[in-house]
Amino acid sequence: MNVLGQPAQIRILPDRPKLREEYPLVDGQQLHPTDSTSPEELLRTMAEEIGALDPAVINDSIEGLHRQFIANWFLDNAPTLSQCREVAQELHDGFTTSQLEAYLKARIKNSPEIESTNYDDLEERFRSKLCMRSAWFSGLSNFPEEAVLRLNPGIAVKRQDEFLIGFDLPEGKTRQTEKQRVVERILRQAWKIRCKEEKAMEGELDIKLQVEHLRLLLNHKTDLFKKLSEQYSAKIDISQSQHIVRITGDYAICSDLAKLIYFMIEKIESVDLELPTVTNIMRYKNSSTTTARGALSDRSYIEHIEKLTNTLIKTTQSTQRNYVTKLRVYYIGPDTTDLEDVQRLVYQLLNPSTAYKCQVQYDPQDKLMVPIQAPIEVGSALPWTERRTPWTRWRDANWAQVSKERGRTSRKSKPPTASGQPHSVTHAIGKFLSEGRPKLTDTDRVEGDHVYWQPYQKHMVSAVLGHIAYPVLSRLAQTNYIQARTYKSRKDQETRLRNAFLKTIDSRRTMVTGLPGSLESFERLLGSNGQDYQDIRVRLQPSNMESNADVELRSLPEVDLRIRLNNQTKNVGVESVRLVRDPRESDLLLPQEAADARFRAYTYFESKPQLAPQIIDFIGASNFDVWGESRLRTPSKLNLFVPRFALPESARGPIEDGDGIEVEYAFTSLEYHSYMRTMYEGCRVYYNTVEAGKTGGRRTDLWLETPMVAPHSDYYLSRDFVQFFNTVRNLICTMDPGAPRLLSQ
C-alpha cells in the first residue's frame, strides 16, 4: 500500500471463468492460450458464437422478413428497385454471413432446382421433362453459344453485366463483397425476385426441345413461331442443329411465350401405326402394287404427308426389301384430326384407287400406224400420289391427215354388224366387265334379308372421257418400241407395234380428265334442259374384319356414301348409302381422237330408309358444312355389319336372314361434286366438277352412265351394251381431236 497523499496504483485482475460441468478441464489444459488473439479472429469468433443459436429461429426471422417484404408489393405484382435495396440492407445488417448462408443452404436443400445461378421464377407447373429451359436473363448475348452454356446443368452461368437488385457496386470495385453476394443470391434464387425496372428491360430466355418436337412445330402449316413472334412483338431465334429456341423480349413477353411453347409440347402425342403386309395391300391379284408397296420407303412421300397433315412421321420398322411396316406419328393433340388424316393418306398410298381389275383395248377403227408420245401436264387433276410422275399419252403422228379425212366423212362410229353381234373390241370389253358376274333377272333379288339393307342387287355401267396416260417411257422401253417399227412387213409391223404399245400402257396407267373443249361439247348437248346438282361423296374400303370370318378381305364390298346438299336452305341430307361390289374397269384407247374412254361396271346394294346405327354415328361425327369456314372431314374408321348376301356368290355360303360379318372400313376419299346432267342417245351425261382437297386434287369429268336393265340376259354381251358403247364413241367423235398438246395450253 502506498503512503497517503501519493498517487495510488490500481491493478484490475480478470475474474476467473466459471467452468461448465459438461466441459471439465483436463490435466495440463490451459484456460488461456499463450499466443495473442487478433481483432479479426475475435470478431469471427463472436459471429460464430452468435450463429450457434438455433438455426430454425434464424430462418423463421428471415422468412418473417420475406413475408413482410412480399406484403408491401404483392398487389403491384413486382417490387421496385428501391424496395429490393431496402430489404437487402435489412438482411445485410440484421444477420451474419454464416446465418444467411445457412438459410440459403436450407432453401436449396428443400428446392434443389434453385442451386443453379440460372434462377427461374416461373411456376413449377411450367417445367417439363420434355424440354429444358433457362431463366430469363436481362441484356443480349450471342446465339446459340451462350444458350448452350445456359442450358448445361453442370455450368453455372454468371453474366458480367447482370442486373443487381440488392446493392450497387462500391465505387472503384468490380464485384460485391462476400456478404452482399449471399444477400443477392437469397433475393434471386431463394425468393425469385425481379424488380419492375428489370422486367421492363429487354432480355432472353432459351428453351431446348427434343428433336422431333422442334421439327413438328417448325413444319406446322400455320408457321407457329412466326405467328407467335408477330402476335407478341418478340424476336424468336431457332438453332435446328442444337434444337434450341431463343425468345428475346421483356420479362412478361418471354414468360408468356415460354408457357405457350410448354403447353404445345405437353400436347404433342405419338402413335405407332402398324401397316398391312404386302399380301393385304394387294387388294386385287392383277393390280400394280409395286409403287404402293415401296412408296413409304421414299422419304419425299413421307414429307408430303407431313406437310399436308401437320405431323412428323418416322419409320420405325421395315422389311429386308425396305418395305415399311411401322410408322411413328407425332401430332399436336388432343384433337386427333391430323392423326386421322395421316391414316387416310397412308391407306390411300397403299391402296391406290386404280387397283381394280382393269384391262386395256384400242379401237381397230383407228389404225395405230405411227404412234408418238404426247406429254400431258396434269396439274391438280390427279391425286397427290401420282402428281410427281411425268405422264404422256399415245397419239397418232398422222392425226392431221386423219382429221382432214374425218372432216369429209361421218364422225359416227361403225354400227353393230347385221347379225347383231358387236365387233371384237366391244365384245372384249363386255366380256371382261361381265367376268364372274351373275346374269340379270327381272327382280334381281338375292336370298336372305336384313333390317338395314335391301336384298336387291343393282348394276351400273359408266364411261368417263379423258386421256389414258402412262409414265414417260424409259430409254430402254423407247429402244424396244423403236425396234418394233423396223419390221418390213406391214402386218408384222402393226402386230409388233400393238404389242409394244399395249405392254407400256398395261404396266401402269391412269386417267387424266379435264379435256380442252369438253365443256363446250357438253353445252351443245345440254341446251336449255340442264340443272345443277351438288353432293358430297365419301368412299371407304374394307381394312380389317373379324378373325373368324370365312371370306377374303378383297371380296368385301366398298361403302359409297352420298350426302345431298341444298344451297337454298343450306341443309344436308343422306342421298344414298351403297355397298359397292365387283368394280371392274376397261380402258379404250383412241390415239386419233380427242379423248380416250374408261368403262366401269359395278354391282351395288342400297340401304333401307332406316340407316344402320354405325352409319348414323359416322355421319353425326362428320362435318359436311360446305358453307362454313371449317374443313370437311369424317372419322377415319367405320365399323359396319355387312350382310352376307352382299358378298360375291363364291364367298357367300349358306345365307340366313340377318347373317353377316363385322367389317372395319377405312376412309379413302371425300369429294365435293357440282355437276350438270342431261340426256344423250338414251344415256345420262354428266359434266362434273370435283373438289377433292389437297390430296385428291381438282378436276372436271365428262362421263356417261346407264343402268343395266336387260332381263334374262348377259347385259355386257347384248345389243344394249353395244348401243352404250357406240354412244360413247359418238360423243367422242363430236370433239375436235386437234393437235397433240398439253392440257394447260
Side-chain angles (χ1 to χ4, degrees):
M1 176 178 289
N2 294 327
V3 179
L4 182 63
Q6 293 183 354
Q9 295 180 356
I10 301 174
R11 183 179 182 185
I12 300 175
L13 298 175
D15 294 335
R16 183 181 181 89
K18 296 181 180 181
L19 299 180
R20 298 180 180 179
E21 297 180 359
E22 58 271 26
Y23 300 106
L25 292 177
V26 297
D27 294 341
Q29 182 178 0
Q30 298 181 0
L31 289 175
H32 301 283
T34 56
D35 55 335
S36 61
T37 302
S38 65
E40 292 79 6
E41 292 177 350
L42 182 60
L43 292 175
R44 187 180 299 109
T45 302
M46 293 174 62
E48 291 176 354
E49 291 176 355
I50 297 175
L53 297 177
D54 188 357
V57 177
I58 300 298
N59 292 348
D60 289 342
S61 299
I62 297 177
E63 282 296 330
L65 185 61
H66 181 206
R67 289 190 294 269
Q68 181 182 357
F69 171 65
I70 293 177
N72 293 335
W73 56 265
F74 180 76
L75 297 178
D76 297 330
N77 295 323
T80 62
L81 181 60
S82 60
Q83 289 175 320
C84 294
R85 296 285 170 86
E86 290 177 3
V87 73
Q89 194 65 44
E90 292 183 29
L91 289 172
H92 185 276
D93 296 341
F95 303 92
T96 66
T97 303
S98 59
Q99 290 172 340
L100 296 174
E101 290 178 342
Y103 170 77
L104 181 61
K105 184 177 180 180
R107 289 295 300 268
I108 291 176
K109 183 178 180 181
N110 296 331
S111 303
E113 68 275 2
I114 71 174
E115 183 175 8
S116 171
T117 57
N118 300 347
Y119 42 84
D120 187 355
D121 52 347
L122 291 180
E123 295 92 331
E124 178 70 26
R125 63 194 182 99
F126 295 115
R127 299 189 181 95
S128 173
K129 296 180 180 179
L130 302 176
C131 65
M132 183 182 299
R133 177 170 44 79
S134 74
W136 179 82
F137 284 84
S138 60
L140 305 178
S141 63
N142 296 329
F143 181 78
E145 295 83 0
E146 189 75 13
V148 173
L149 295 177
R150 293 175 181 174
L151 293 167
N152 190 332
I155 300 178
V157 179
K158 183 176 179 62
R159 295 266 302 279
Q160 294 296 328
D161 56 346
E162 182 181 6
F163 189 87
L164 302 176
I165 62 173
F167 305 91
D168 279 330
L169 290 176
E171 185 177 354
K173 300 292 184 179
T174 60
R175 58 181 300 180
Q176 296 174 325
T177 64
E178 179 182 356
K179 191 173 185 179
Q180 289 176 338
R181 289 196 299 271
V182 175
V183 173
E184 192 82 27
R185 289 187 62 190
I186 290 176
L187 295 180
R188 290 295 198 184
Q189 295 175 235
W191 293 2
K192 300 180 180 179
I193 298 299
R194 293 187 187 275
C195 64
K196 291 182 178 180
E197 292 81 353
E198 180 186 13
K199 288 185 175 183
M201 298 174 61
E202 188 176 36
E204 304 164 339
L205 186 148
D206 301 312
I207 306 175
K208 186 171 185 178
L209 285 71
Q210 295 184 13
V211 180
E212 295 82 2
H213 296 171
L214 180 59
R215 283 184 54 194
L216 177 61
L217 298 179
L218 284 175
N219 295 338
H220 200 278
K221 67 178 180 181
T222 58
D223 201 348
L224 290 173
F225 289 109
K226 182 179 180 179
K227 187 175 181 180
L228 292 176
S229 176
E230 294 175 350
Q231 183 177 355
Y232 284 83
S233 300
K235 180 183 178 183
I236 299 180
D237 298 305
I238 299 174
S239 172
Q240 296 192 50
S241 59
Q242 299 291 339
H243 38 97
I244 295 176
V245 177
R246 164 166 287 184
I247 307 171
T248 303
D250 61 33
Y251 175 82
I253 289 177
C254 292
S255 299
D256 290 343
L257 286 177
K259 295 174 184 178
L260 287 176
I261 294 176
Y262 165 82
F263 283 134
M264 288 190 293
I265 295 174
E266 285 291 303
K267 292 179 180 179
I268 293 178
E269 301 180 16
S270 63
V271 174
D272 289 337
L273 296 183
E274 294 282 351
L275 303 184
T277 60
V278 175
T279 55
N280 289 337
I281 294 173
M282 297 181 64
R283 195 170 153 71
Y284 297 94
K285 291 183 178 179
N286 61 343
S287 63
S288 177
T289 58
T290 304
T291 303
R293 285 158 43 190
L296 291 176
S297 302
D298 187 348
R299 184 63 197 173
S300 60
Y301 281 100
I302 297 294
E303 292 175 352
H304 189 70
I305 296 178
E306 292 175 342
K307 184 177 180 181
L308 292 174
T309 59
N310 300 321
T311 57
L312 176 67
I313 303 175
K314 295 183 65 177
T315 302
T316 58
Q317 186 174 331
S318 58
T319 63
Q320 295 181 351
R321 294 187 178 183
N322 204 28
Y323 293 153
V324 178
T325 58
K326 182 183 290 188
L327 297 175
R328 178 165 296 166
V329 182
Y330 295 86
Y331 66 98
I332 299 177
D335 187 8
T336 60
T337 301
D338 292 334
L339 175 63
E340 293 173 355
D341 288 343
V342 171
Q343 294 173 329
R344 294 187 186 111
L345 293 176
V346 169
Y347 193 83
Q348 288 177 1
L349 192 62
L350 297 179
N351 299 268
S353 59
T354 56
Y356 300 117
K357 289 185 177 180
C358 193
Q359 71 164 4
V360 61
Q361 295 286 332
Y362 80 92
D363 196 331
Q365 297 179 76
D366 291 325
K367 298 299 182 182
L368 189 61
M369 297 301 296
V370 188
I372 61 174
Q373 296 187 88
I376 296 175
E377 186 176 304
V378 299
S380 62
L382 292 180
W384 68 277
T385 55
E386 299 178 341
R387 294 175 197 165
R388 298 170 63 248
T389 302
W391 297 95
T392 185
R393 181 201 179 203
W394 283 113
R395 290 299 304 270
D396 194 330
N398 299 326
W399 64 269
Q401 179 180 354
V402 173
S403 179
K404 185 177 180 180
E405 293 176 355
R406 289 283 179 83
R408 299 193 299 265
T409 61
S410 172
R411 298 279 294 173
K412 296 285 186 177
S413 60
K414 293 183 179 180
T417 60
S419 61
Q421 295 297 326
H423 60 74
S424 58
V425 172
T426 312
H427 184 82
I429 294 176
K431 184 177 180 180
F432 175 79
L433 296 179
S434 64
E435 181 181 338
R437 201 179 298 272
K439 293 184 179 181
L440 302 181
T441 62
D442 288 327
T443 59
D444 221 16
R445 193 188 193 284
V446 296
E447 295 183 21
D449 195 2
H450 193 270
V451 64
Y452 299 121
W453 299 98
Q454 300 180 16
Y456 296 94
Q457 58 181 0
K458 301 180 181 181
H459 310 271
M460 188 69 68
V461 61
S462 62
V464 60
L465 307 186
H467 289 161
I468 302 298
Y470 66 95
V472 176
L473 289 179
S474 63
R475 184 172 300 179
L476 177 61
Q478 291 181 13
T479 301
N480 296 335
Y481 177 74
I482 293 174
Q483 290 177 353
R485 296 169 54 183
T486 60
Y487 289 87
K488 296 181 180 180
S489 170
R490 179 175 178 177
K491 181 177 180 181
D492 195 14
Q493 183 185 30
E494 289 186 1
T495 302
R496 295 282 181 172
L497 284 174
R498 171 191 171 93
N499 294 338
F501 168 60
L502 295 180
K503 184 177 181 181
T504 59
I505 291 290
D506 195 45
S507 59
R508 181 187 175 195
R509 63 186 182 276
T510 189
M511 167 65 80
V512 181
T513 58
L515 304 179
S518 58
L519 178 58
E520 291 80 0
S521 299
F522 180 78
E523 289 177 341
R524 288 195 296 268
L525 301 176
L526 184 64
S528 59
N529 300 323
Q531 186 176 355
D532 294 337
Y533 302 89
Q534 294 84 29
D535 62 30
I536 294 176
R537 302 180 186 182
V538 180
R539 189 165 65 92
L540 302 101
Q541 288 185 347
S543 60
N544 201 358
M545 59 183 175
E546 56 188 55
S547 57
N548 59 348
D550 54 353
V551 297
E552 295 183 0
L553 186 66
R554 65 184 183 185
S555 64
L556 298 175
E558 299 177 356
V559 174
D560 180 84
L561 171 64
R562 301 192 180 187
I563 303 297
R564 180 179 59 256
L565 305 176
N566 190 324
N567 286 327
Q568 295 181 349
T569 61
K570 295 186 178 180
N571 291 328
V572 300
V574 179
E575 182 176 339
S576 66
V577 181
R578 298 177 177 179
L579 295 176
V580 179
R581 197 188 70 199
D582 300 329
R584 283 174 176 259
E585 294 176 347
S586 180
D587 293 335
L588 175 65
L589 307 179
L590 304 170
Q592 294 179 351
E593 297 291 356
D596 304 314
R598 169 167 286 181
F599 291 89
R600 185 170 188 254
Y602 59 91
T603 301
Y604 66 94
F605 294 83
E606 289 187 320
S607 172
K608 292 182 178 180
Q610 182 182 0
L611 299 178
Q614 299 93 330
I615 296 179
I616 296 176
D617 294 340
F618 181 86
I619 296 175
S622 304
N623 177 28
F624 298 129
D625 183 11
V626 298
W627 307 280
E629 297 182 356
S630 57
R631 64 176 179 176
L632 306 181
R633 62 181 298 270
T634 69
S636 61
K637 300 290 184 181
L638 169 64
N639 294 318
L640 188 63
F641 186 83
V642 177
R644 189 170 288 274
F645 62 70
L647 305 179
E649 290 186 349
S650 58
R652 289 180 186 174
I655 299 178
E656 298 180 1
D657 289 349
D659 189 19
I661 58 175
E662 286 285 346
V663 181
E664 180 186 83
Y665 283 89
F667 171 95
T668 55
S669 67
L670 184 150
E671 299 176 343
Y672 170 72
H673 289 242
S674 177
Y675 57 92
M676 295 179 289
R677 184 176 68 189
T678 188
M679 298 298 294
Y680 176 69
E681 295 187 1
C683 300
R684 291 192 294 266
V685 183
Y686 299 84
Y687 184 81
N688 192 12
T689 300
V690 182
E691 297 279 357
K694 293 182 179 180
T695 59
R698 186 181 191 276
R699 67 183 187 274
T700 55
D701 297 337
L702 181 61
W703 52 289
L704 299 87
E705 184 180 67
T706 182
M708 307 174 200
V709 294
H712 301 293
S713 66
D714 193 336
Y715 175 85
Y716 301 98
L717 303 180
S718 68
R719 292 181 60 90
D720 292 333
F721 179 72
V722 175
Q723 183 60 43
F724 179 72
F725 179 91
N726 287 335
T727 299
V728 175
R729 289 286 283 115
N730 292 339
L731 182 57
I732 294 176
C733 289
T734 63
M735 305 171 66
D736 182 13
R741 59 175 178 170
L742 301 180
L743 289 182
S744 60
Q745 294 179 345

